Amino acid sequence: MRRFYGFIRGLFYLPFKILYPTKVLNAQNMPRDERLISVTNHYSWKDIPVLAINVAGYRRFIAKKEIGKNKLVHKLADMLGVIFIDRGKADMRAIRESIQALKAGDGIAIFPEGTRHKTGAEALQEVKGGVTLLAVKGNAPIVPMMIWKKERLFRKNYIYIGEPFDLFEFSGKPLDGDAIAAASEKVAEHMLRASADMETFIREKRWIAQKRERKVFLRDQRKANARAKKEYAAYKKRMRRQRSAA
């Protein structure tokens, strides 16, 4: 699945970059460990390929089972590692498969609101409890990834990656209705915080300052490396002199 995912990602990378130009903000917030759950707001079916193309790493997307009604689409989705879920009930099969994927070291991508923003509204909808079960049972950190607006052809868009968090305080405790509600509220709070930070980030164009800081950091690193090289060369020279004098 990983190889096929990488192949498809490479195949569609350039077309999607041209059709739906997207900039990833705060990419350094994405953990290198792939065993994580990314939670994202949801506008349209295009969210899945846009996220897959622009955000590095392999993730198994959780999608509603209706998408897989077409046999060809279902086969392709299976090869990519998509996990279909029945939104009309507590789909324990999909939850178990997702937890097994996390324990195997895969990432999971989920739209925890459970449905799209059909009107284009940007306010966060209710966060469903399934994501909390996955995070607690799969012992995985959560990364909020917020899409700025609904994707439109040739219109620049942004994906903002918020700070990772976890639900470890709910581990080892009964996940009753109150616990799931509290955990879901925490997920919603972090998504709302990421959304607010995204708006500020875009308004102030903070990636320019980040780029400048990165440039300064790399320059200082080069200077430090050059200095260390000179000091080491001088040290070796002293050692040779001492050996010659002895």
Side-chain angles (χ1 to χ4, degrees):
M1 287 188 291
R2 284 174 179 263
R3 288 185 179 180
F4 187 67
Y5 183 95
F7 170 74
I8 294 295
R9 185 175 184 268
L11 185 65
F12 288 97
Y13 184 87
L14 189 58
F16 262 85
K17 277 291 190 180
I18 294 171
L19 294 172
Y20 301 101
T22 304
K23 186 177 183 64
V24 179
L25 308 175
N26 263 9
Q28 70 275 9
N29 276 347
M30 180 60 70
R32 293 186 180 275
D33 183 7
E34 290 187 336
R35 188 180 59 82
L36 55 83
I37 300 171
S38 63
V39 292
T40 314
N41 55 336
H42 195 18
Y43 288 116
S44 75
W45 67 267
K46 294 186 288 290
D47 295 340
I48 294 178
V50 165
L51 287 169
I53 292 296
N54 288 281
V55 182
Y58 173 64
R59 276 170 296 281
R60 297 185 63 179
F61 283 84
I62 294 182
K64 60 182 181 180
K65 70 173 186 177
E66 288 81 0
I67 293 176
K69 283 184 177 179
N70 181 288
K71 289 184 179 179
L72 180 60
V73 173
H74 197 288
K75 180 64 176 176
L76 179 62
D78 275 343
M79 294 172 71
L80 289 168
V82 173
I83 299 171
F84 289 109
I85 190 167
D86 187 344
R87 297 184 303 169
K89 61 180 182 180
D91 192 342
M92 296 309 298
R93 179 207 55 80
I95 291 173
R96 281 194 297 269
E97 186 177 352
S98 301
I99 292 172
Q100 287 170 2
L102 287 168
K103 290 182 176 179
D106 292 336
I108 293 290
I110 187 170
F111 303 103
E113 298 165 283
T115 188
R116 307 178 199 170
H117 292 263
K118 294 179 182 177
T119 62
E122 289 149 11
L124 191 68
Q125 300 179 80
E126 179 189 357
V127 170
K128 306 300 181 184
V131 66
T132 65
L133 282 174
L134 297 185
V136 175
K137 298 294 185 182
N139 194 33
I142 301 175
V143 183
M145 297 198 305
M146 304 303 292
I147 301 171
W148 189 39
K149 291 182 178 179
K150 186 175 181 178
E151 298 88 349
R152 296 172 65 186
L153 282 170
F154 306 114
R155 297 293 182 89
K156 191 168 186 179
N157 204 357
Y158 300 93
I159 296 171
Y160 182 86
I161 301 179
E163 292 186 8
F165 65 98
D166 59 63
L167 300 176
F168 294 163
E169 67 266 34
F170 297 96
S171 298
K173 298 178 182 178
L175 284 176
D176 55 18
D178 290 339
I180 289 176
S184 298
E185 186 176 346
K186 182 175 179 178
V187 174
E189 286 174 358
H190 279 269
M191 291 182 72
L192 287 170
R193 187 183 306 163
S195 180
D197 290 344
M198 174 178 63
E199 294 293 336
T200 303
F201 204 100
I202 294 170
R203 186 174 63 252
E204 298 179 359
K205 296 184 178 180
R206 288 190 182 176
W207 60 87
I208 296 174
Q210 281 188 344
K211 191 174 181 180
R212 192 181 301 120
E213 289 169 4
R214 177 70 178 167
K215 201 171 180 181
V216 171
F217 171 77
L218 291 175
R219 184 195 64 198
D220 291 344
Q221 283 289 97
R222 284 194 298 269
K223 286 182 178 179
N225 289 339
R227 197 160 49 243
K229 203 180 231 183
K230 283 183 182 180
E231 290 173 356
Y232 183 62
Y235 166 77
K236 287 207 305 186
K237 192 174 182 180
R238 286 196 306 271
M239 298 306 323
R240 282 197 300 268
R241 284 176 179 174
Q242 286 176 12
R243 283 195 294 269
S244 296

